Amino acid sequence: MKSAPCDVRPVHQRGTDVRNIVLVGHTGAGKTTLAECLLATADGGEAAHGHSANTRHTDHEDTESRQRTLNLTALSTIHRGLRINLLDTPGLADFIGDLRAGLRAADAALFVVSALDGVDGFTRLLWDECAAAATPRAIAITKLDRPQADFASTLSICQEVFGAGVLPLYLPVGRSRSAEPMPGEQRYRLVDLLAPAEDGPAGQNSDAGQNSGPGAIAAARDALIEGIIAESEDESLLDRYLAGETLSAKQLLDDLETAVARGRFHPVVATVGNGADGLGVTELLDLFAGAFPSPFEHPLPATSRPDGSPCPLPSGDPDGPLAAEVIKTTTDPYVGRISLIRVFSGTLRPDTPVHVAGHGRADRGHPDHDEDAKIGTISRPLGRSTQEAVEMCRAGDICTASKIITAEAGDTLSSPDGPILFEAWTMPEPQLPVAIRARTKSAEDKLSTALARLTAEDPSVTVEHSGETGQLVLWCMGEAHSDVIIERLASRYGVDVDRVPVQVPMRETLRGPARGTGRHVKQSGGHGQYAICHIEVEPLPPGLGREFRDEVVGGAVPRQFIPSVEKGVWRQLDLGVSAGFPLVDIRVRLVDGKAHSVDSSDVAFQAAGALALKNAAQSAGMVLLEPVLAVCVLTPDAHVGPVTSDLAARRGRVVGIEPVGGTGPGDPGGRNRTVIRAEVPETEMLRYAVDIRSLTQGTGTFSRGHLRYEPVPEHLAATYLTARTAE
């Protein structure tokens, strides 16, 4: 038998009938299963089975793909007077872009933690992100019906990792083995720690070691009440409690809501089993209704006009001007472009004009834009595969809309008469390069269009067309992310591609000064070609670039052909002379030459200039240069040693180690972190986005930027040149 649901205040006193909640946790923690249980349980499971005349099916993604993207599951029937929108997010670090989108759309977060696996490093990072934004959070501990699962130890891990304020709202208690459960009954029950103490010994029908026993329940109840009182605005509450006064459940629930809304108290609920009869599912729904804040209690994003001028924040009034944001876009094979939208103010209606504005992501291939569009149909998902058409979406709610062709994730939708722009949320920087090549000519013809659509759906991927290497490179968040992109190219757009090794753009320079002669003399019937030039070359200090100087005296090379020689030299500098890499940090001086009054021409002196450079480079000898990156790694202190050792193994130089973090709002558990600054060759960093997670158990992040070019060690240069020659 489940514990009685907590008494919650009527919805009309809260200001809205919607709760927007994002589910957060690592892959395998049970987020999707829990979302389906909540869907089946809400008001007797009608949400899971109800269909209207205006529904459509959208289950075009397989299960694995759904687990690696952002999904909206709306509990379309009302639970205790509320509509609850659940945003089920992916659990891999590769898809943190989708998770941040979910955090933007939601007003509270439910962290789902498996009693078998505990808390991984990525979940810890997500908790810190929520803490920095003061997002209200609660915790659901799942899979307690599995062998070796233990609530007490999992709770202890959560308290250690997540910090203060993590306390159970219900305590799971195992029934006695001598008292077999009746058909339909669970082997466990939940003790409501805010309900009045039960008559008789609390553990008289319980197994020892299952959080039972009068002492364990009483201690958990006292800890919960004291935790709530600590966040109460009533300063006399603690004195009354210590004096032995019994506090009413209603008063404690009121203070619980305040504590959770402030982001400083995090109730824990245990869940057991699957489906509508799962233990703890109704208790979670009651927690959403009684403790999580309404959309109007959540701060709105910073707002400006599209031209950058200031404007007042939207009022949040459903009857006010429209202010909404595109959280994610997807492509449905039957409907076309579908946008997931959070409405912050006003009301979104079908077939109405809106202004679409998106700024700040031009460096990722998403240029700024301000344009008017028209909303298509508006729908509310009933579950994984069915959507119901609705007449409107009011402020505070989430919906999907079709046919907004130009909309991308992060775009603002507003009234054409008074357009606004929300400040974009921080998108992660993709750090894993993946070079691809179309498998067939037909695939090559469709590739650019397919990539344009994919990047519109997923701002965390960047497409680079390298002018130096000629490669098409996808910058992704990790291997799983790249797998999804390539799989979608094939399944959704019919574009098959192959992965190819990523080529790092090298450079060359001279070992020393030298002289060179370029002789381009050809004679055939009619006009011939005649040009001879002599040059002197010398290396320049790193970073000074390239120079060309005209030092011809006596008119040996006619003035009109000097630019021709320079053009030929510059072209050969770009093409390289040994391995096909551009030459840098070099000075070229044209000192002498010869011309013919009839056969000399612009083309002839261009060819002579190029030949002279090749001849001089062969005499001077070449040095292969590789790009060096300035790398900044942020990692917990415990991983500083392995990270620095790994950087050294990559031929990197650590140039600075700086402690950061502590017990600030972004580091609630007091986990000190360290920034490691290093200079590392780019060839050694191609897979660092994957390796850093392994080194730091998913808790390390890094950024990088081009620093300079440096000579490649001789033994490696020979390997690179051999590979380049083979290509």
Side-chain angles (χ1 to χ4, degrees):
M1 181 177 66
K2 297 179 182 178
S3 61
C6 297
D7 183 26
V8 295
R9 294 181 293 164
V11 172
H12 64 81
Q13 294 183 14
R14 301 288 302 279
T16 183
D17 60 352
V18 178
R19 296 293 178 271
N20 300 310
I21 300 156
V22 60
L23 302 185
V24 180
H26 64 78
T27 297
K31 299 186 300 298
T32 302
T33 300
L34 181 59
E36 292 170 350
C37 291
L38 292 165
L39 179 63
T41 303
D43 279 2
E46 296 172 5
H49 308 292
H51 298 273
S52 72
N54 298 315
T55 62
R56 58 184 174 83
H57 295 275
T58 60
D59 195 14
H60 59 279
E61 300 276 7
D62 59 28
T63 301
E64 183 178 5
S65 296
R66 287 200 306 262
Q67 292 174 349
R68 297 188 294 184
T69 187
L70 180 68
N71 298 292
L72 174 65
T73 300
L75 306 190
S76 58
T77 53
I78 303 300
H79 179 78
R80 300 177 66 80
L82 293 171
R83 180 179 307 284
I84 299 175
N85 294 324
L86 293 179
L87 290 154
D88 181 12
T89 61
L92 294 175
D94 286 12
F95 305 98
I96 192 173
D98 275 348
L99 190 134
R100 287 179 177 170
L103 290 175
R104 181 62 162 254
D107 305 302
L110 179 68
F111 277 73
V112 182
V113 177
S114 166
L116 299 177
D117 305 318
V119 181
D120 69 341
F122 179 57
T123 304
R124 178 184 301 180
L125 285 179
L126 299 179
W127 182 274
D128 290 351
E129 285 204 20
C130 291
T135 302
R137 284 148 285 155
I139 300 168
I141 296 179
T142 61
K143 302 186 179 181
L144 284 170
D145 53 341
R146 306 291 180 85
Q148 300 179 344
D150 185 276
F151 176 81
S153 62
T154 306
L155 174 63
S156 178
I157 291 172
C158 291
Q159 291 171 332
E160 178 183 353
V161 172
F162 296 146
V166 175
L167 291 169
L169 198 58
Y170 301 88
L171 205 63
V173 175
R175 299 181 185 277
S176 172
R177 292 187 178 90
S178 61
E180 288 296 321
M182 298 294 291
E185 274 193 320
Q186 293 279 354
R187 286 188 174 274
Y188 300 88
R189 65 189 179 97
L190 292 183
V191 174
D192 185 351
L193 297 179
L194 289 184
E198 301 176 2
D199 295 332
Q204 61 184 4
N205 290 321
S206 302
D207 284 333
Q210 291 291 332
N211 314 304
S212 55
I217 294 176
R221 177 177 286 115
D222 290 342
L224 175 62
I225 293 174
E226 291 171 6
I228 295 174
I229 291 174
E231 297 296 333
S232 174
E233 296 178 348
D234 186 350
E235 298 180 357
S236 67
L237 206 59
L238 179 60
D239 295 334
R240 291 160 51 195
Y241 174 70
L242 294 177
E245 180 179 338
T246 301
L247 304 178
S248 69
K250 182 181 184 306
Q251 186 169 27
L252 291 173
L253 283 169
D254 290 344
D255 288 327
L256 171 67
E257 178 196 342
T258 300
V260 173
R262 289 175 174 174
R264 298 199 298 234
F265 183 79
H266 318 293
V268 180
V269 177
T271 62
V272 182
N274 298 322
D277 59 347
L279 193 66
V281 178
T282 298
E283 287 76 9
L284 273 176
L285 290 168
D286 290 336
L287 176 66
F288 299 162
F292 276 179
S294 73
F296 296 155
E297 298 173 63
H298 189 67
L300 293 178
T303 309
S304 66
R305 298 294 182 193
D307 60 5
S309 61
C311 70
L313 281 174
S315 63
D317 183 355
D319 297 324
L322 176 67
E325 190 167 33
V326 177
I327 303 303
K328 186 173 178 64
T329 64
T330 58
T331 301
D332 185 283
Y334 305 106
V335 181
R337 177 73 65 88
I338 297 177
S339 301
L340 176 63
I341 298 171
R342 164 69 191 266
V343 181
F344 289 99
S345 183
T347 300
L348 192 67
R349 291 183 171 85
D351 300 320
T352 56
V354 296
H355 184 81
V356 183
H359 290 188
R361 290 174 179 162
D363 59 333
R364 295 171 178 264
H366 304 271
D368 296 349
H369 56 275
D370 295 290
E371 49 205 342
D372 291 339
K374 191 175 183 180
I375 298 291
T377 59
I378 297 178
S379 304
R380 177 178 294 115
L382 297 176
R384 291 291 179 195
S385 60
T386 307
Q387 296 209 10
E388 177 187 35
V390 295
E391 295 181 356
M392 67 181 70
C393 183
R394 296 167 66 85
D397 210 346
I398 299 175
C399 66
T400 60
S402 63
K403 299 182 180 179
I404 316 178
I405 304 301
T406 59
E408 299 183 1
D411 283 0
T412 304
L413 306 182
S414 56
S415 170
D417 298 332
I420 65 170
L421 179 68
F422 284 131
E423 182 181 27
W425 65 81
T426 302
M427 290 299 300
E429 192 73 29
Q431 298 286 12
L432 179 68
V434 178
I436 61 172
R437 180 172 53 204
R439 193 171 297 171
T440 63
K441 180 63 170 65
S442 61
E444 184 176 350
D445 294 338
K446 297 185 291 185
L447 183 56
S448 60
T449 300
L451 287 175
R453 293 178 179 176
L454 281 178
T455 53
E457 297 177 9
D458 186 356
S460 63
V461 63
T462 301
V463 179
E464 176 190 357
H465 297 268
S466 176
E468 293 190 29
T469 65
Q471 287 191 312
L472 177 61
V473 179
L474 304 179
W475 285 89
C476 305
M477 296 300 299
E479 287 185 319
H481 189 206
S482 66
D483 289 344
V484 167
I485 296 298
I486 291 174
E487 186 273 332
R488 286 180 181 171
L489 283 173
S491 63
R492 192 179 292 178
Y493 302 105
V495 179
D496 293 316
V497 298
D498 294 316
R499 299 179 190 234
V500 295
V502 177
Q503 297 177 11
V504 175
M506 300 285 197
R507 296 287 187 270
E508 294 177 297
T509 193
L510 302 176
R511 289 190 180 277
R515 293 178 59 89
T517 298
R519 181 181 178 87
H520 185 73
V521 178
K522 292 183 178 181
Q523 187 64 49
S524 59
H527 284 296
Q529 298 184 41
Y530 188 95
I532 299 175
C533 34
H534 303 282
I535 64 171
E536 294 180 355
V537 298
E538 59 182 312
L540 295 176
L544 289 188
R546 305 185 291 198
E547 293 182 13
F548 178 87
R549 292 184 178 180
D550 170 22
E551 298 183 3
V552 175
V553 293
V557 177
R559 305 309 303 169
Q560 67 268 27
F561 294 130
I562 300 296
S564 302
V565 176
E566 182 178 4
K567 185 176 181 180
V569 167
W570 283 117
R571 183 171 182 274
Q572 196 62 52
L573 287 173
D574 290 334
L575 293 175
V577 295
S578 60
F581 297 117
L583 270 71
V584 295
D585 302 328
I586 179 175
R587 177 181 291 135
V588 179
R589 294 184 293 120
L590 176 62
V591 295
D592 201 359
K594 292 183 180 179
H596 188 276
S597 59
V598 176
D599 293 338
S600 291
S601 66
D602 170 67
V603 173
F605 272 100
Q606 284 189 46
L611 291 172
L613 180 63
K614 285 183 178 181
N615 180 252
Q618 291 173 356
S619 300
M622 304 301 298
V623 177
L624 185 64
L625 303 176
E626 63 182 345
V628 175
L629 303 177
V631 178
C632 180
V633 182
L634 177 63
T635 178
D637 289 350
H639 304 296
V640 170
V643 170
T644 54
S645 298
D646 177 74
L647 291 172
R650 297 172 188 271
R651 299 189 285 123
R653 295 186 295 273
V654 175
V655 297
I657 298 178
E658 178 184 354
V660 295
T663 56
D667 199 5
R671 296 182 294 274
N672 290 324
R673 290 185 171 88
T674 296
V675 171
I676 303 170
R677 304 184 190 279
E679 299 174 357
V680 192
E682 185 175 352
T683 53
E684 305 288 345
M685 294 292 292
L686 297 179
R687 288 185 51 82
Y688 196 64
V690 177
D691 298 337
I692 186 63
R693 293 176 187 162
S694 176
L695 285 169
T696 63
Q697 300 177 5
T699 59
T701 59
F702 80 105
S703 61
R704 66 183 189 176
H706 178 76
L707 186 61
R708 60 177 175 271
Y709 282 88
E710 288 186 356
V712 178
E714 291 291 341
H715 67 287
L716 294 177
T719 302
Y720 291 154
L721 291 175
T722 300
R724 181 71 169 178
T725 302
E727 292 172 2

